[in-house]
Amino acid sequence: MDASFTAEQDEIRRTLRELLQKRCGSQELRTAVDTPAGHDPALWTALARQLGLPGLALPEAYGGVGCTATELALAAEETGRFLAPSPLLATAVLAAPLVLALGTEAQRARLLPRIAAGSLTAALAVPGTALTTALTLTGLNGGEWAGGGRAGGVQARPVGDSGWRLYGQVAQVLDGHSAELLLVAAHAGGFARSRTLLFLVAGDADGLVRVRQTSLDATRPRARIELRDVEGELLGDDDSPHVLRELSAAGDIAAAVLAAEAVGAADRALERTVQYVRQREQFGRAIGSFQAVKHRLADVYVQVQAAKSAAYYAAWAIGQEERVGGLALAQALEALRIAAAEGIQLHGGIGFTWEHDAHLYFKRAAGDELLFGPVHRLRAYAAEGAHLFENREVTV
């Protein structure tokens, strides 16, 4: 692995950071999350048109930039620094790779250029709280999470020669209230031919009810989706056996990108804390000069740097077909939680107020761990996959 970045990668980070510094300050962030969409559409348009962010990792044949997951992770690191609320994660990280991998040529040609241009946002809807299972981050995605052929989840039934109707409910869908396209995981086939499939559902489809939910992290808007006999288009073809495999592959990409995003947030939380302790005085000197404070911040720095190395390696390893995204995500989420908690503590009274941004970083850490973790389960599954705790006979 070459640990250095190319000039192009450095330029992506620099340009994106400059744009977000101008367009996603504290006040702009708070205003955006209070809008019905939960993000600033003007900022999303700028990210798409000026930087090509939604299509960064999509092939040029479909209007994308043609970069790798590493560039997407580096971009996410910068959006994480500013906690930028945008459809990037839901659209470009969770939905687009599945359309690219599973869609027919007609579906890819119809959808991917619009995603790359930023004119189409998408969201992945997985029933229940089984997103991490579906993405194979905390367990095997055997398909039972999609309903298991019984009540619950989302059920799909064929209508006519090629049509499908969907019925069920999905909660905690990232950007599900505003996405113009939904990728819905549903169970089909009953007991005779039980299988999990993905369906394309238009955001304005008849019978579709979407309600934005109150979430711990307001910068990650979520929704409850109800499908009441809704028309759906099968993603790919009916005989495709690769749905679960591609969900797992998308999960590794998502984990690596999320790890980089969490590292960016942790780095920024630490940076703001260091700036504060240099200014805040007590007993006639800056509190950052006290040895105890120095030790606490040094420990956070080590955590963040270790998580950053793991995130970069996970993004690079995708191209080597090495699956380490879940482990990197666990380390990054832990680093963000520690950096945010220490930031609140060392900011003193102001750190506990709604007016200060310290709580936003802590909520991002807690919210992501609830949605994509928790950390101990991410690590436990990685250890299980590596056969770390298998009983072995010891010969003396």
Side-chain angles (χ1 to χ4, degrees):
M1 174 185 175
D2 185 359
S4 61
F5 295 114
T6 65
E8 183 182 30
Q9 291 169 337
D10 286 333
E11 183 64 17
I12 290 173
R13 303 174 74 179
R14 184 192 65 80
T15 307
L16 182 54
R17 184 176 299 191
E18 289 180 355
L19 177 62
L20 291 175
Q21 283 176 338
K22 296 176 182 177
R23 303 286 296 271
C24 196
S26 178
Q27 187 57 48
E28 290 84 358
L29 169 62
R30 292 168 183 265
T31 300
V33 298
D34 288 335
T35 62
H39 66 271
D40 181 5
L43 175 61
W44 176 244
T45 300
L47 293 174
R49 293 182 179 177
Q50 296 181 27
L51 302 176
L53 213 57
L56 198 60
L58 290 177
E60 295 181 20
Y62 298 111
V65 180
C67 293
T68 67
T70 299
E71 285 77 15
L72 187 58
L74 293 176
E77 183 181 357
E78 296 305 317
T79 61
R81 288 181 61 85
F82 297 90
L83 302 180
S86 77
L88 181 66
L89 176 60
T91 300
V93 181
L94 293 176
L98 293 171
V99 176
L100 179 63
L102 295 171
T104 63
E105 182 54 40
Q107 289 172 334
R108 291 196 293 264
R110 185 177 85 243
L111 300 175
L112 291 180
R114 295 170 60 198
I115 289 177
S119 60
L120 177 68
T121 56
L124 175 63
V126 173
T129 57
L131 181 60
T132 55
T133 304
L135 297 177
T136 323
L137 295 178
T138 58
L140 293 174
N141 63 349
E144 294 80 4
W145 45 267
R150 299 182 181 276
V154 178
Q155 307 298 316
R157 60 182 177 87
V159 177
D161 294 333
S162 59
W164 291 84
R165 309 295 292 189
L166 278 65
Y167 188 90
Q169 178 175 297
V170 187
Q172 303 295 325
V173 180
L174 283 175
D175 293 313
H177 63 295
S178 61
E180 297 157 307
L181 176 69
L182 298 174
L183 271 67
V184 181
H187 191 273
F191 294 102
R193 193 185 176 198
S194 175
R195 64 200 189 283
T196 299
L197 300 173
L198 287 175
F199 296 88
L200 303 172
V201 176
D204 57 356
D206 292 336
L208 178 66
V209 179
R210 305 193 287 179
V211 180
R212 182 175 177 179
Q213 297 176 299
T214 300
S215 59
L216 175 65
D217 178 13
T219 66
R220 286 256 202 257
R222 306 172 195 177
R224 183 182 74 251
I225 295 174
E226 297 177 7
L227 302 111
R228 302 172 180 176
D229 199 29
V230 175
E231 180 181 1
E233 176 188 353
L234 181 65
L235 180 63
D237 58 73
D238 191 27
D239 296 325
S240 175
H242 307 309
V243 173
L244 299 181
R245 186 188 70 188
E246 294 303 335
L247 274 168
S248 178
D252 194 45
I253 296 174
V257 173
L258 278 164
E261 187 187 67
V263 161
D267 197 35
R268 179 57 178 157
L270 175 60
E271 180 183 298
R272 296 183 64 159
T273 304
V274 171
Q275 291 174 351
Y276 180 79
V277 299
R278 285 175 173 173
Q279 299 169 1
R280 173 71 175 178
E281 292 188 357
Q282 195 154 16
F283 306 112
R285 55 191 287 194
I287 63 173
S289 65
F290 293 110
Q291 191 175 43
V293 174
K294 290 180 179 180
H295 285 177
R296 292 174 68 171
L297 291 176
D299 288 342
V300 175
Y301 177 81
V302 171
Q303 287 270 1
V304 172
Q305 292 303 310
K308 185 177 295 188
S309 297
Y312 291 164
Y313 182 83
W316 172 83
I318 291 172
Q320 312 303 312
E321 298 184 356
E322 182 181 357
R323 189 182 178 94
V324 293
L327 199 55
L329 178 58
Q331 190 161 357
L333 290 178
E334 185 176 53
L336 176 54
R337 173 163 38 86
I338 292 172
E342 289 289 356
I344 291 174
Q345 288 287 329
L346 293 175
H347 272 82
I350 188 65
F352 288 84
T353 64
W354 179 257
E355 290 75 19
H356 199 274
D357 289 344
H359 71 97
L360 296 177
Y361 289 89
F362 188 80
K363 288 177 179 178
R364 169 62 67 88
D368 277 4
E369 189 169 348
L370 288 171
L371 192 61
F372 297 102
V375 166
H376 71 273
R377 290 189 60 190
L378 288 166
R379 285 178 170 153
Y381 184 66
E384 181 182 342
H387 309 290
L388 194 60
F389 298 116
E390 285 188 353
N391 292 326
R392 295 192 177 96
E393 294 184 2
V394 178
T395 304
V396 180

mmCIF file of all heavy atoms in Angstrom, residues 12-37:
data_model
loop_
_atom_site.group_PDB
_atom_site.id
_atom_site.type_symbol
_atom_site.label_atom_id
_atom_site.label_comp_id
_atom_site.label_asym_id
_atom_site.label_seq_id
_atom_site.Cartn_x
_atom_site.Cartn_y
_atom_site.Cartn_z
ATOM 1 N N ILE A 12 -8.944 17.169 -4.496
ATOM 2 C CA ILE A 12 -10.332 16.894 -4.111
ATOM 3 C C ILE A 12 -10.583 17.348 -2.674
ATOM 4 O O ILE A 12 -11.572 18.016 -2.381
ATOM 5 C CB ILE A 12 -10.644 15.388 -4.267
ATOM 6 C CG1 ILE A 12 -10.688 14.993 -5.744
ATOM 7 C CG2 ILE A 12 -11.977 15.041 -3.594
ATOM 8 C CD1 ILE A 12 -10.820 13.493 -5.971
ATOM 9 N N ARG A 13 -9.672 17.003 -1.788
ATOM 10 C CA ARG A 13 -9.826 17.371 -0.381
ATOM 11 C C ARG A 13 -9.762 18.883 -0.204
ATOM 12 O O ARG A 13 -10.595 19.473 0.513
ATOM 13 C CB ARG A 13 -8.737 16.707 0.454
ATOM 14 C CG ARG A 13 -8.706 15.209 0.334
ATOM 15 C CD ARG A 13 -7.529 14.602 1.061
ATOM 16 N NE ARG A 13 -7.709 14.612 2.495
ATOM 17 C CZ ARG A 13 -6.831 14.124 3.349
ATOM 18 N NH1 ARG A 13 -5.707 13.612 2.909
ATOM 19 N NH2 ARG A 13 -7.054 14.165 4.637
ATOM 20 N N ARG A 14 -8.803 19.531 -0.852
ATOM 21 C CA ARG A 14 -8.624 20.972 -0.689
ATOM 22 C C ARG A 14 -9.834 21.738 -1.212
ATOM 23 O O ARG A 14 -10.369 22.631 -0.540
ATOM 24 C CB ARG A 14 -7.364 21.435 -1.419
ATOM 25 C CG ARG A 14 -7.040 22.920 -1.230
ATOM 26 C CD ARG A 14 -5.972 23.371 -2.198
ATOM 27 N NE ARG A 14 -6.432 23.291 -3.573
ATOM 28 C CZ ARG A 14 -7.211 24.201 -4.148
ATOM 29 N NH1 ARG A 14 -7.654 25.234 -3.456
ATOM 30 N NH2 ARG A 14 -7.573 24.056 -5.412
ATOM 31 N N THR A 15 -10.294 21.395 -2.413
ATOM 32 C CA THR A 15 -11.415 22.103 -3.022
ATOM 33 C C THR A 15 -12.696 21.915 -2.218
ATOM 34 O O THR A 15 -13.452 22.871 -1.988
ATOM 35 C CB THR A 15 -11.630 21.615 -4.460
ATOM 36 O OG1 THR A 15 -10.407 21.709 -5.190
ATOM 37 C CG2 THR A 15 -12.692 22.445 -5.160
ATOM 38 N N LEU A 16 -12.918 20.688 -1.764
ATOM 39 C CA LEU A 16 -14.123 20.410 -0.987
ATOM 40 C C LEU A 16 -14.090 21.130 0.353
ATOM 41 O O LEU A 16 -15.108 21.685 0.797
ATOM 42 C CB LEU A 16 -14.268 18.902 -0.782
ATOM 43 C CG LEU A 16 -15.507 18.417 -0.025
ATOM 44 C CD1 LEU A 16 -16.775 18.961 -0.667
ATOM 45 C CD2 LEU A 16 -15.539 16.901 0.019
ATOM 46 N N ARG A 17 -12.935 21.160 1.005
ATOM 47 C CA ARG A 17 -12.837 21.849 2.285
ATOM 48 C C ARG A 17 -13.098 23.347 2.129
ATOM 49 O O ARG A 17 -13.798 23.959 2.950
ATOM 50 C CB ARG A 17 -11.468 21.612 2.922
ATOM 51 C CG ARG A 17 -11.343 22.224 4.314
ATOM 52 C CD ARG A 17 -10.023 21.901 4.980
ATOM 53 N NE ARG A 17 -9.819 20.480 5.164
ATOM 54 C CZ ARG A 17 -8.844 19.964 5.907
ATOM 55 N NH1 ARG A 17 -7.994 20.767 6.542
ATOM 56 N NH2 ARG A 17 -8.704 18.659 6.027
ATOM 57 N N GLU A 18 -12.562 23.940 1.077
ATOM 58 C CA GLU A 18 -12.783 25.374 0.839
ATOM 59 C C GLU A 18 -14.256 25.665 0.614
ATOM 60 O O GLU A 18 -14.796 26.656 1.128
ATOM 61 C CB GLU A 18 -11.952 25.838 -0.360
ATOM 62 C CG GLU A 18 -10.459 25.897 -0.088
ATOM 63 C CD GLU A 18 -9.680 26.360 -1.303
ATOM 64 O OE1 GLU A 18 -10.301 26.534 -2.381
ATOM 65 O OE2 GLU A 18 -8.448 26.545 -1.185
ATOM 66 N N LEU A 19 -14.920 24.823 -0.164
ATOM 67 C CA LEU A 19 -16.341 25.026 -0.434
ATOM 68 C C LEU A 19 -17.170 24.894 0.836
ATOM 69 O O LEU A 19 -18.058 25.722 1.109
ATOM 70 C CB LEU A 19 -16.818 24.017 -1.480
ATOM 71 C CG LEU A 19 -18.318 24.056 -1.815
ATOM 72 C CD1 LEU A 19 -18.701 25.408 -2.408
ATOM 73 C CD2 LEU A 19 -18.686 22.920 -2.766
ATOM 74 N N LEU A 20 -16.887 23.883 1.636
ATOM 75 C CA LEU A 20 -17.670 23.663 2.855
ATOM 76 C C LEU A 20 -17.396 24.736 3.905
ATOM 77 O O LEU A 20 -18.288 25.081 4.684
ATOM 78 C CB LEU A 20 -17.362 22.271 3.423
ATOM 79 C CG LEU A 20 -17.872 21.099 2.570
ATOM 80 C CD1 LEU A 20 -17.418 19.768 3.147
ATOM 81 C CD2 LEU A 20 -19.396 21.128 2.461
ATOM 82 N N GLN A 21 -16.195 25.263 3.938
ATOM 83 C CA GLN A 21 -15.908 26.362 4.862
ATOM 84 C C GLN A 21 -16.760 27.588 4.539
ATOM 85 O O GLN A 21 -17.185 28.314 5.436
ATOM 86 C CB GLN A 21 -14.422 26.726 4.800
ATOM 87 C CG GLN A 21 -13.525 25.766 5.548
ATOM 88 C CD GLN A 21 -12.048 26.083 5.388
ATOM 89 O OE1 GLN A 21 -11.643 26.748 4.424
ATOM 90 N NE2 GLN A 21 -11.229 25.615 6.311
ATOM 91 N N LYS A 22 -17.039 27.791 3.273
ATOM 92 C CA LYS A 22 -17.839 28.944 2.855
ATOM 93 C C LYS A 22 -19.336 28.685 2.984
ATOM 94 O O LYS A 22 -20.101 29.600 3.301
ATOM 95 C CB LYS A 22 -17.515 29.312 1.403
ATOM 96 C CG LYS A 22 -16.091 29.775 1.163
ATOM 97 C CD LYS A 22 -15.856 30.023 -0.324
ATOM 98 C CE LYS A 22 -14.424 30.444 -0.595
ATOM 99 N NZ LYS A 22 -14.168 30.631 -2.052
ATOM 100 N N ARG A 23 -19.744 27.434 2.735
ATOM 101 C CA ARG A 23 -21.172 27.147 2.601
ATOM 102 C C ARG A 23 -21.778 26.332 3.740
ATOM 103 O O ARG A 23 -22.990 26.151 3.782
ATOM 104 C CB ARG A 23 -21.407 26.371 1.295
ATOM 105 C CG ARG A 23 -20.919 27.072 0.025
ATOM 106 C CD ARG A 23 -21.837 28.212 -0.354
ATOM 107 N NE ARG A 23 -23.157 27.732 -0.701
ATOM 108 C CZ ARG A 23 -23.514 27.376 -1.940
ATOM 109 N NH1 ARG A 23 -22.651 27.454 -2.936
ATOM 110 N NH2 ARG A 23 -24.736 26.971 -2.177
ATOM 111 N N CYS A 24 -20.952 25.824 4.658
ATOM 112 C CA CYS A 24 -21.491 24.936 5.696
ATOM 113 C C CYS A 24 -20.913 25.266 7.061
ATOM 114 O O CYS A 24 -20.358 24.397 7.749
ATOM 115 C CB CYS A 24 -21.208 23.475 5.335
ATOM 116 S SG CYS A 24 -22.184 22.290 6.279
ATOM 117 N N GLY A 25 -21.050 26.534 7.443
ATOM 118 C CA GLY A 25 -20.664 26.937 8.784
ATOM 119 C C GLY A 25 -21.700 26.508 9.800
ATOM 120 O O GLY A 25 -22.707 25.867 9.468
ATOM 121 N N SER A 26 -21.494 26.885 11.053
ATOM 122 C CA SER A 26 -22.396 26.471 12.125
ATOM 123 C C SER A 26 -23.832 26.934 11.885
ATOM 124 O O SER A 26 -24.783 26.162 12.022
ATOM 125 C CB SER A 26 -21.896 27.011 13.466
ATOM 126 O OG SER A 26 -22.776 26.655 14.505
ATOM 127 N N GLN A 27 -24.006 28.192 11.502
ATOM 128 C CA GLN A 27 -25.348 28.724 11.297
ATOM 129 C C GLN A 27 -26.020 28.075 10.093
ATOM 130 O O GLN A 27 -27.211 27.734 10.125
ATOM 131 C CB GLN A 27 -25.287 30.250 11.103
ATOM 132 C CG GLN A 27 -26.656 30.918 11.052
ATOM 133 C CD GLN A 27 -27.478 30.632 12.293
ATOM 134 O OE1 GLN A 27 -26.998 30.765 13.422
ATOM 135 N NE2 GLN A 27 -28.735 30.213 12.108
ATOM 136 N N GLU A 28 -25.258 27.888 9.005
ATOM 137 C CA GLU A 28 -25.824 27.249 7.813
ATOM 138 C C GLU A 28 -26.224 25.805 8.109
ATOM 139 O O GLU A 28 -27.256 25.333 7.616
ATOM 140 C CB GLU A 28 -24.799 27.279 6.668
ATOM 141 C CG GLU A 28 -24.526 28.654 6.091
ATOM 142 C CD GLU A 28 -23.491 29.442 6.866
ATOM 143 O OE1 GLU A 28 -22.999 28.920 7.907
ATOM 144 O OE2 GLU A 28 -23.157 30.554 6.455
ATOM 145 N N LEU A 29 -25.419 25.130 8.920
ATOM 146 C CA LEU A 29 -25.730 23.748 9.284
ATOM 147 C C LEU A 29 -27.039 23.670 10.055
ATOM 148 O O LEU A 29 -27.916 22.852 9.737
ATOM 149 C CB LEU A 29 -24.591 23.170 10.118
ATOM 150 C CG LEU A 29 -24.841 21.828 10.824
ATOM 151 C CD1 LEU A 29 -25.103 20.739 9.806
ATOM 152 C CD2 LEU A 29 -23.649 21.463 11.703
ATOM 153 N N ARG A 30 -27.200 24.517 11.049
ATOM 154 C CA ARG A 30 -28.416 24.483 11.874
ATOM 155 C C ARG A 30 -29.649 24.875 11.069
ATOM 156 O O ARG A 30 -30.747 24.339 11.284
ATOM 157 C CB ARG A 30 -28.242 25.401 13.080
ATOM 158 C CG ARG A 30 -27.195 24.899 14.069
ATOM 159 C CD ARG A 30 -26.828 25.956 15.089
ATOM 160 N NE ARG A 30 -25.774 25.500 15.977
ATOM 161 C CZ ARG A 30 -25.975 24.946 17.169
ATOM 162 N NH1 ARG A 30 -27.209 24.761 17.601
ATOM 163 N NH2 ARG A 30 -24.971 24.568 17.918
ATOM 164 N N THR A 31 -29.485 25.793 10.148
ATOM 165 C CA THR A 31 -30.614 26.187 9.302
ATOM 166 C C THR A 31 -31.018 25.042 8.380
ATOM 167 O O THR A 31 -32.206 24.771 8.187
ATOM 168 C CB THR A 31 -30.238 27.426 8.464
ATOM 169 O OG1 THR A 31 -29.916 28.508 9.338
ATOM 170 C CG2 THR A 31 -31.404 27.846 7.568
ATOM 171 N N ALA A 32 -30.032 24.345 7.829
ATOM 172 C CA ALA A 32 -30.305 23.273 6.874
ATOM 173 C C ALA A 32 -31.052 22.111 7.519
ATOM 174 O O ALA A 32 -31.996 21.569 6.930
ATOM 175 C CB ALA A 32 -28.999 22.782 6.254
ATOM 176 N N VAL A 33 -30.652 21.714 8.725
ATOM 177 C CA VAL A 33 -31.275 20.543 9.348
ATOM 178 C C VAL A 33 -32.714 20.826 9.766
ATOM 179 O O VAL A 33 -33.494 19.889 9.980
ATOM 180 C CB VAL A 33 -30.461 20.050 10.558
ATOM 181 C CG1 VAL A 33 -29.076 19.619 10.128
ATOM 182 C CG2 VAL A 33 -30.375 21.109 11.648
ATOM 183 N N ASP A 34 -33.078 22.088 9.880
ATOM 184 C CA ASP A 34 -34.445 22.440 10.263
ATOM 185 C C ASP A 34 -35.379 22.575 9.069
ATOM 186 O O ASP A 34 -36.573 22.817 9.240
ATOM 187 C CB ASP A 34 -34.455 23.753 11.061
ATOM 188 C CG ASP A 34 -33.889 23.586 12.458
ATOM 189 O OD1 ASP A 34 -33.936 22.453 12.972
ATOM 190 O OD2 ASP A 34 -33.387 24.568 13.031
ATOM 191 N N THR A 35 -34.864 22.446 7.861
ATOM 192 C CA THR A 35 -35.705 22.513 6.672
ATOM 193 C C THR A 35 -36.430 21.182 6.480
ATOM 194 O O THR A 35 -36.009 20.152 7.021
ATOM 195 C CB THR A 35 -34.864 22.821 5.428
ATOM 196 O OG1 THR A 35 -33.917 21.753 5.227
ATOM 197 C CG2 THR A 35 -34.123 24.151 5.583
ATOM 198 N N PRO A 36 -37.518 21.153 5.698
ATOM 199 C CA PRO A 36 -38.224 19.887 5.460
ATOM 200 C C PRO A 36 -37.338 18.800 4.861
ATOM 201 O O PRO A 36 -37.494 17.623 5.177
ATOM 202 C CB PRO A 36 -39.341 20.305 4.492
ATOM 203 C CG PRO A 36 -39.582 21.749 4.787
ATOM 204 C CD PRO A 36 -38.234 22.308 5.127
ATOM 205 N N ALA A 37 -36.399 19.196 3.995
ATOM 206 C CA ALA A 37 -35.517 18.202 3.365
ATOM 207 C C ALA A 37 -34.441 17.702 4.314
ATOM 208 O O ALA A 37 -33.918 16.605 4.140
ATOM 209 C CB ALA A 37 -34.877 18.788 2.111
#
